[in-house]
Structure formats: C-alpha cells, structure tokens
Amino acid sequence: MDLKSNHTPVLTDSAPVTKSRLCVHSSLLPYTHSGAAFTHGMLLTIPRKKTGILEDVRSSGWLDAMKSSSPPARKITKDVSHGFASSDSDTAGAYFSWLLKYPSALTCFDQITNFAKGKRIALFMDYDGTLSPIVDNPDCAFMSDNMRASVKKVAEYFPTAIISGRSRDKVYKFVGLTELYYAGSHGMDIIGPVRQSESDNHPNCIRSTDKQGKEVNLFQPAAEFLPMINEVLKSLDECTKDIKGAKVENNKFCVSVHYRNVDEKYWDVVGQRVHDVLKGYPRLRLTHGRKVLEIRPVINWDKGKAVTFLLESLGLNNCDDVLPIYIGDDRTDEDAFKVLREGNKGYGILVSSSPKESNAIYSLRDPSEVMEFLKSLVLWKSSCLKSLI
C-alpha cells in the first residue's frame, strides 16, 4: 500500500463541454488548506451526547421516520444518452436535474484527478450499498469477485479503508482483503496502523495484532457500552422473534433491527417494540438506515470522526498534499461527507440512483459505477507512475 508516494502525476484538463454544467462545484475549485476539521484535542476527547434522545423518533414520529428512510423500490433502467437511472420521464428529469448539483464522479473524473495533482489520495468506503448491493438478507450481502479484485488493486496504490455499520469482524469476512484498514460499528471499532502520535496514547486505543500477526492499533471509543449493548441485543431478539421477517443483527457496538422483509403493515409493531426496549436505556440512541433501525451508544463519535482518526493514524492529517475521498450510500455516511466538505479537504461521493439531499459533492449510481470509478483511479495512477519512468 503506497502511503507516502512523492510522485507528481501527469494529468489532463477536464473537457470544457461538461465542465460548465455538470462538473463545476464551488468546493472543487483550488483552495487554501485551512487545517483539519478536528484538532488533536477534539479528535481524542469523546464527549457524551445529551442522553435520553432518540434521534428523529420522538420528535417527528418513529413510523414516519421508518417510512421516509425506506423509499419504495423502483424499476430502474439506464438512459444511454445521458447515463442516468430512470423509471419514467418524470423520474428521469428529476434525476438529471439532481445531477447538476451532484455530478457523476465518472463524468467528472478528469476534473477530480486534475485537482489531485501533487496530492496523495486516501480512499474511504462504506460496504453495504457501495461495494455490495442491498439485499433482502443482510447475511448474504456478498461483494462480487470483480469488485473484490478492484478494491484489492486500488489499495495497492492508495491507503484504503472500509468504514461500515457492520461489526468489524463481519465486514472483514465479507471483504477478505488484508491490504485494507477496517472500521466497524459506524467507526466505533477501528483497526489502524501503529504510529507514534497522540491518538496512540488515548485510553481507548490499545496495541493489538491483526489476523496476520501484524502489530496494529485497536481503537474502541464505546468499549464501556458493550455490556449494555449485549443486554439490548437479547431483549430485541426476544421481543421481535414473533414478527415474520424481522432480523436483529449484532454489530458489536451497535444493534441493527432489519425490517426489509417485514410486511409494511407491521412496521409500526417493529418500531414500537424497539422503542419500548430503549425506554430503559437513556444512554443509547436510535437512528434510521435503509429499512433498518440502529441502536448506538450516545457518544459524540461517527463515521466522520473515524475518517479523521484514520487520517491521523496514517500520518495524513493536517497535510496540504492529501486528498481524502469517501464513497458511501447511507445516512450515516453523511457525517463523513460533512467532515470533508466543511474542512474543505476532500470529496464525498454519494451512491444513489434517486435524488436526495447530501453533503457529498459527487455521485455514483450504484456499486457497478463504484467499481468503474475504482478501476479508473487505478488506471490513472498507474499511467502517472509509468510516465515518470
């Protein structure tokens, strides 16, 4: 894995035809680096969020929140003339308009690499819906062999990490690549490189060894919550076992209750039972994903802070010559997009086939386009290195 490449790539200008419409965003223009989004102190001090808050459940209604985070499936076709997804002319028009605000990272690839000139790219990705398709059974969210090969190849050129809501061990089993760094439980369980820095001295950061026996740093900012999470896991297993299609998933520092296979008329039953269990745990909070309810500790830690922590561990934080790229499809990925946007330090790429508001700058339609983007990065980097020989 090339962490410290000093090569200066040879780049081409973006095509003027698309630049004026689909590839110009104020955040993409050359900038003066203003420092990381988090100082060392902010990064390593993990304050507790205000307890007793179930995010967007009690305030706006948990059933409405479940429905809004679970849009109905649409039949998607590809418009060959514009390269966007559509099911009818209205949807096509809405998606095309949305692409003006969140242009395709493939269409704007030359602009991305032009801005990356003289910088080291660090790549961060979600797993479900990004590297693998969203499937009915979460235990069967396998990535394709072609995707695995693409991820393996891109990790040969850039430091690469997967940050998932799944448990770290589970996402590693799905991916099976030793070349990557892994962060599970929405960034609350991170394995990163050993580096002498302030992050190494944090009480929740300990020296450990990975599956290959290599020394690593294990960072678990929610370690104290593990007994509580296990209690809730047992309670949720028990109270949802009679709901056909409901599945409770143990993701170590968070618990996921999937209702994708539950008849919609029983969604309120799922939501009510989860809500009732959490009444006894004010230090836990409820968030919503794509047809999943997620129970997490009430701490000020998310995927955005996980990105910053990994950059720090890799020695890539506070560096003017580093360009972080984060690719993800879910609400929880917005925290990472926000860190990169607010710090004016990198690019967020949203994976979505339907219009939605986001802190990302670019978009990709689905995992197949993610794979195409990864392959393009590899070809670009390899050609840059060859030109220097």
Side-chain angles (χ1 to χ4, degrees):
M1 193 180 294
D2 180 13
L3 302 183
K4 300 287 186 179
S5 174
N6 291 318
H7 299 301
T8 302
V10 176
L11 302 139
T12 60
D13 293 330
S14 57
V17 174
T18 58
K19 182 176 180 181
S20 63
R21 291 292 292 170
L22 290 179
C23 295
V24 169
H25 194 290
S26 59
S27 300
L28 303 182
L29 300 177
Y31 59 82
T32 301
H33 189 80
S34 58
F38 301 92
T39 64
H40 289 310
M42 291 174 69
L43 171 64
L44 300 175
T45 300
I46 309 170
R48 301 294 182 255
K49 286 189 176 181
K50 184 178 180 181
T51 59
I53 297 176
L54 300 182
E55 287 190 355
D56 68 5
V57 173
R58 294 174 183 167
S59 59
S60 61
W62 40 264
L63 183 57
D64 289 341
M66 290 172 71
K67 290 181 177 179
S68 66
S69 64
S70 309
R74 293 177 177 176
K75 183 178 179 181
I76 301 297
T77 58
K78 185 174 181 180
D79 185 311
V80 295
S81 63
H82 294 102
F84 57 82
S86 64
S87 57
D88 52 49
S89 58
D90 290 340
T91 302
Y95 192 83
F96 184 71
S97 297
W98 182 76
L99 281 177
L100 297 177
K101 186 175 181 180
Y102 304 99
S104 167
L106 294 174
T107 303
C108 297
F109 187 77
D110 283 347
Q111 184 170 343
I112 293 173
T113 52
N114 188 54
F115 192 73
K117 183 177 182 179
K119 299 180 185 294
R120 293 170 288 166
I121 290 176
L123 188 61
F124 304 90
M125 296 178 285
D126 187 18
Y127 180 74
D128 292 276
T130 299
L131 298 179
S132 72
I134 297 294
V135 294
D136 289 341
N137 184 351
D139 292 334
C140 296
F142 304 113
M143 66 192 305
S144 67
D145 290 340
N146 287 336
M147 178 66 86
R148 182 173 292 102
S150 297
V151 174
K152 180 180 176 67
K153 195 66 178 178
V154 82
E156 294 177 7
Y157 291 95
F158 313 105
T160 303
I162 293 178
I163 304 178
S164 173
R166 303 267 195 162
S167 71
R168 178 171 47 81
D169 287 343
K170 190 174 296 183
V171 77
Y172 176 79
K173 288 179 180 178
F174 276 131
V175 178
L177 297 175
T178 60
E179 296 87 349
L180 313 181
Y181 301 105
Y182 293 88
S185 304
H186 299 291
M188 290 181 284
D189 188 10
I190 304 175
I191 276 191
V194 172
R195 177 177 170 80
Q196 294 300 326
S197 67
E198 290 186 34
S199 61
D200 294 359
N201 299 322
H202 193 275
N204 288 311
C205 190
I206 61 175
R207 293 290 177 90
S208 183
T209 55
D210 63 13
K211 296 182 184 296
Q212 289 71 46
K214 183 175 63 176
E215 191 175 26
V216 294
N217 273 340
L218 177 63
F219 183 62
Q220 297 177 331
E224 67 179 279
F225 288 86
L226 194 55
M228 187 184 302
I229 291 291
N230 288 332
E231 283 182 18
V232 169
L233 175 68
K234 292 178 181 178
S235 297
L236 291 173
D237 267 330
E238 183 64 26
C239 76
T240 61
K241 65 182 182 182
D242 63 329
I243 303 176
K244 184 178 180 180
K247 180 176 179 59
V248 178
E249 183 179 11
N250 180 3
N251 286 315
K252 192 161 185 174
F253 293 108
C254 57
V255 179
S256 300
V257 182
H258 299 271
Y259 56 92
R260 178 173 298 276
N261 296 320
V262 176
D263 191 310
E264 187 171 344
K265 65 184 178 182
Y266 296 119
W267 285 8
D268 59 337
V269 178
V270 176
Q272 186 64 60
R273 292 188 184 179
V274 172
H275 186 271
D276 289 344
V277 168
L278 288 186
K279 285 179 180 178
Y281 296 92
R283 297 182 67 198
L284 299 178
R285 61 189 175 114
L286 181 64
T287 60
H288 297 78
R290 295 168 68 173
K291 295 188 178 177
V292 61
L293 299 174
E294 296 186 307
I295 295 89
R296 293 193 266 171
V298 181
I299 64 171
N300 190 18
W301 194 263
D302 52 42
K303 288 186 176 183
K305 290 180 173 60
V307 167
T308 305
F309 181 87
L310 281 166
L311 287 172
E312 167 73 19
S313 299
L314 291 163
L316 300 176
N317 209 23
N318 287 319
C319 298
D320 292 339
D321 65 338
V322 173
L323 180 64
I325 295 176
Y326 188 102
I327 308 174
D329 74 304
D330 201 50
R331 284 186 176 190
T332 58
D333 298 311
E334 291 296 326
D335 295 313
F337 297 154
K338 187 176 181 181
V339 164
L340 298 186
R341 177 184 283 274
E342 291 185 347
N344 202 25
K345 58 192 292 187
Y347 294 135
I349 301 176
L350 174 66
V351 183
S352 179
S353 60
S354 59
K356 62 178 70 174
E357 287 301 309
S358 176
N359 288 305
I361 293 177
Y362 293 112
S363 68
L364 292 168
R365 185 171 56 245
D366 51 33
S368 67
E369 288 200 351
V370 173
M371 183 167 65
E372 187 176 349
F373 180 78
L374 298 182
K375 289 180 177 179
S376 298
L377 280 178
V378 169
L379 289 174
W380 167 74
K381 184 63 175 180
S382 61
S383 66
C384 291
L385 296 177
K386 287 178 181 178
S387 68
L388 298 175
I389 298 176

